[in-house]
């Protein structure tokens, strides 16, 4: 069987994940992975702590704490938040001090170097005389030379363009705020221009990348692409083991592609007991914020071409836009954020997952507001819970708690299930992947169940016993299907509903949608989205 490897961009361990992160690649990758698992695929969700990020070094510096300790603490926090959000990552490693990871990255890097694929170049670099530091990435800020937004070195989050920090307008050192001077360094650079034709060909054959990403990539390769710095003079990262560059480390964005391959190889070896050789049997699916597009869709793909090993390419990339908080960008430094770990202490993960899906920033930026979250949540949990509890009451009252199931499915129910199934198969899969559309589809489906219950089932009670029993069984079909349909977005609810239909939730599979044979005695859990006290906490 072929394997699917799903990645979400490695989170930087300089703090917890906020709900903007969760709404982005982490939830989407989880929903997709869950869907592929219950449709019988061999799929693994991979990410890791991006320990060698420059942001780790600058945050530790600003907070005057030990970076290694910070990495360890924050990786634990991030993992715990992912767990609280029911984001089920199969492989999460820590690169810091991890010899397997480091050696794999170095082998990849040295192979490119030995094949002459990296260029030695002397270049200007910003330097802070006060901090005695070379300034790149998070060490420097200024105005983006392309869109004039506030930007860090090397990448502008606002427009997604990479920049040479030397071209930032009004640059300053993020540690001491001094205006930098200019020095020179001789580093190793990757000439991405050499792979333009191959990149162009690759982009032209993508069927699942969102249109903005394709356009972004085509615009990148339409222009001259500056040689990309693969090494920086710094002491935070994987040290370069080549004479003449030993004061340098490997660029963390370059590290990411072999870093992911290492996780895939290790997972494969663990699963099959043999080394991964046939690279055509695997599929790589990557979820990322649009601001990281350059790295995954240009840098990583070009480095895969350069290594000439027919290596696994990101066949599918699903990007998302920024999620705003009260119409403003999430900002860790300004404290304008809602932290995943904090929020999930109060809010059940399914409620948050459903809301983040409804408001997902798929094709443009969208907004999170607490009031809207509470209102939407109240409406939807009430509607869903009331309906399911009403059904359970009917079973308890009229059928002594035992679900009637000796009835054929009515064409009205089966066509409703069939239509929803077809749509969800599109929205949960890559061709039209959309958390928004999937969650709206679930809402629609639930409304149809309510109508069915009100119009077809309940009025029948006074008219005809046999028909009434048949109609109730049809609601069972609809609810059983609901428990499967909701699993990717609301796994806790899905299993709870399954249990309350008297069926086992241990082997939940997409193709059991029409099977009510295992349904039996209704449960009595009542609270399908358990009560939460966020309102009182917030008001206090
Ligand atoms: Zn910009
Ligand atoms: Zn400084």
């Amino acid at each position: 069987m072929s394997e699917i490897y799903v990645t979400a961009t490695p989170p930087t361990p300089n703090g917890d994940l906020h709900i903007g992160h969760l709404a982005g690649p982490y939830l989407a990758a989880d929903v997709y992975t869950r869907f592929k698992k219950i449709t019988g695929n061999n799929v693994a969700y991979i990410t890791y702590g991006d320990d060698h990020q420059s942001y780790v070094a600058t945050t530790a510096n600003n907070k005057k704490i030990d970076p290694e300790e910070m990495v360890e603490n924050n990786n634990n926090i991030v993992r715990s938040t992912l767990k609280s959000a029911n984001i089920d990552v199969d492989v999460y490693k820590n690169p810091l001090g991890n010899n397997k990871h480091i050696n794999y990255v170095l082998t990849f890097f040295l192979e490119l170097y030995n094949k002459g694929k990296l260029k030695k170049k002397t270049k200007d670099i910003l330097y802070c005389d006060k901090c005695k530091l070379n300034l790149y990435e998070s060490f420097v800020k200024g105005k983006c030379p392309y869109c004039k937004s506030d930007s860090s070195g090397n990448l502008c989050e606002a427009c997604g363009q990479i920049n040479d920090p030397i071209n930032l307008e009004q640059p300053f050192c993020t540690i001491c705020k001094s205006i930098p001077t200019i020095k020179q360094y001789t580093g190793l650079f990757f000439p991405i221009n050499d792979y333009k034709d191959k990149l162009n060909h690759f982009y032209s054959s993508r069927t699942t990348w969102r249109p903005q990403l394709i356009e972004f990539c085509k615009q990148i390769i339409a222009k001259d692409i500056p040689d990309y710095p693969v090494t920086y003079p710094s002491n935070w990262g994987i040290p370069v083991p080549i004479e003449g560059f030993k004061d340098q480390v490997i660029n963390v964005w370059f590290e990411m592609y072999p870093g992911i391959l290492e996780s895939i190889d290790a997972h494969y070896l663990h699963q099959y007991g043999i080394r991964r050789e046939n690279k055509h049997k695997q599929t790589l699916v990557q979820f990322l914020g649009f601001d990281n597009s350059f790295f995954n869709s240009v840098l990583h793909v070009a480095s895969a071409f350069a290594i000439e090993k027919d290596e696994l390419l990101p066949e599918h990339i699903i990007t998302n836009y920024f999620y705003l908080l009260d119409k403003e960008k999430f900002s860790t430094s300004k404290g304008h954020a809602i932290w995943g770990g904090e929020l999930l202490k109060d809010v059940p993960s399914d409620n948050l997952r459903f809301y983040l899906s409804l408001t997902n920033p798929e094709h443009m930026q969208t907004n999170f507001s607490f009031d809207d979250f509470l209102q939407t949540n109240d409406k939807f949990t009430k509607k869903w819970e009331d309906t399911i509890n009403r059904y359970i009451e009917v079973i308890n009252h009229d059928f002594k708690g035992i679900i009637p199931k000796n009835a054929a499915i009515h064409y009205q129910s089966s066509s409703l299930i069939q239509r929803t199934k077809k749509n969800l198969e599109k929205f949960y899969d890559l061709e039209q992947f959309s958390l928004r559309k999937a969650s709206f589809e679930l809402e629609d489906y639930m409304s149809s169940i309510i109508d069915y219950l009100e119009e077809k089932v309940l009025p029948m009670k006074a008219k005809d016993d046999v028909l009434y029993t048949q109609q109730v069984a049809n609601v069972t079909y609809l609810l059983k299907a609901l428990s499967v349909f909701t699993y990717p977005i609301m796994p806790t609810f899905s299993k709870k509903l399954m249990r309350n239909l008297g069926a086992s939730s241990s082997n939940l599979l997409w193709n059991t949608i029409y099977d009510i044979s295992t349904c039996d005695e209704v449960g009595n859990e009542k609270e399908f989205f358990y009560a939460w006290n966020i309102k009182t906490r917030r008001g206090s």
Side-chain angles (χ1 to χ4, degrees), residues 219-248:
Q219 285 187 14
I220 294 263
I221 56 168
K223 290 183 284 199
D224 181 62
I225 309 170
D227 293 340
Y228 189 78
V230 175
T231 66
Y232 285 130
S234 171
N235 57 12
W236 188 255
I238 300 177
V240 176
I242 300 170
E243 215 47 64
F245 305 96
K246 287 197 167 164
D247 59 335
Q248 299 181 24

Side-chain angles (χ1 to χ4, degrees), residues 311-380:
E311 205 26 289
L312 203 52
L313 291 165
E315 199 173 322
H316 308 283
I317 293 182
I318 305 287
T319 43
N320 64 273
Y321 275 82
F322 280 120
Y323 201 44
L324 304 179
L325 173 60
D326 297 327
K327 307 270 161 87
E328 275 181 54
K329 245 181 91 171
F330 279 81
S331 163
T332 308
S333 55
K334 291 178 195 153
H336 186 67
I338 296 177
W339 302 106
E342 281 294 305
L343 186 68
L344 287 158
K345 275 186 204 156
D346 293 323
V347 176
S349 59
D350 277 3
N351 301 51
L352 183 63
R353 290 168 67 105
F354 191 67
Y355 184 75
L356 296 184
S357 297
L358 282 172
T359 56
N360 208 262
E362 294 171 354
H363 295 280
M364 56 178 160
Q365 57 188 30
T366 53
N367 188 52
F368 179 93
S369 102
F370 225 105
D371 291 338
D372 185 55
F373 174 41
L374 292 178
Q375 274 172 21
T376 308
N377 185 74
D378 282 353
K379 254 196 286 176
F380 120 83

Side-chain angles (χ1 to χ4, degrees), residues 83-298:
K83 196 160 177 254
S84 305
N86 233 328
I87 291 173
D88 209 354
V89 175
D90 295 293
V91 183
Y92 189 109
K93 70 177 168 186
N94 296 113
L96 196 67
N98 177 337
N99 285 332
K100 282 185 183 160
H101 172 91
I102 292 169
N103 289 336
Y104 197 104
V105 172
L106 284 176
T107 305
F108 187 92
F109 166 80
L110 287 171
E111 203 167 328
L112 285 182
Y113 177 75
N114 291 330
K115 282 179 173 170
K117 306 284 182 162
L118 304 179
K119 267 195 214 167
K120 182 176 161 182
K121 267 176 85 167
T122 300
K123 250 195 98 296
D124 288 348
I125 187 167
L126 296 175
Y127 184 78
C128 178
D129 286 320
K130 200 169 158 199
C131 300
K132 307 243 174 310
L133 279 174
N134 295 291
L135 305 183
Y136 64 97
E137 291 190 356
S138 62
F139 291 101
V140 59
K141 272 196 172 151
K143 300 270 178 225
C144 167
Y146 306 104
C147 75
K148 311 292 171 191
S149 302
D150 290 337
S151 169
S152 292
N154 303 81
L155 173 75
C156 172
E157 275 196 358
C159 68
Q161 302 276 353
I162 50 160
N163 61 56
D164 184 338
I166 209 90
N167 296 328
L168 287 175
E169 293 169 20
Q170 301 156 29
F172 62 92
C173 165
T174 54
I175 291 170
C176 72
K177 313 287 183 256
S178 303
I179 296 171
T181 54
I182 294 176
K183 276 199 5 176
Q184 285 200 318
Y185 88 109
T186 301
L188 291 170
F189 290 75
F190 181 44
I192 298 178
N193 273 331
D194 293 357
Y195 306 93
K196 269 187 176 176
D197 287 346
K198 282 188 156 187
L199 286 170
N200 192 22
H201 181 74
F202 183 67
Y203 300 148
S204 302
S205 53
R206 293 310 92 209
T207 54
T208 53
W209 291 17
R210 288 177 170 159
Q212 297 95 323
L213 180 61
I214 294 283
E215 282 309 303
F216 173 85
C217 290
K218 291 205 160 165
Q219 285 187 14
I220 294 263
I221 56 168
K223 290 183 284 199
D224 181 62
I225 309 170
D227 293 340
Y228 189 78
V230 175
T231 66
Y232 285 130
S234 171
N235 57 12
W236 188 255
I238 300 177
V240 176
I242 300 170
E243 215 47 64
F245 305 96
K246 287 197 167 164
D247 59 335
Q248 299 181 24
V249 296
I250 293 178
N251 181 320
V252 74
W253 295 106
F254 181 86
E255 171 189 337
M256 198 173 283
Y257 177 61
I260 291 288
L261 291 179
E262 193 277 330
S263 287
I264 292 175
D265 279 0
H267 187 263
Y268 190 95
L269 184 65
H270 178 74
Q271 204 174 19
Y272 299 104
I274 47 167
R275 281 163 57 100
R276 184 176 69 96
E277 301 282 355
N278 187 346
K279 285 151 188 164
H280 298 288
K281 279 187 71 191
Q282 293 112 37
T283 308
L284 181 57
V285 182
Q286 304 202 290
F287 289 82
L288 43 127
F290 192 78
D291 53 318
N292 287 334
S293 296
F294 175 82
F295 305 121
N296 291 63
S297 58
V298 183

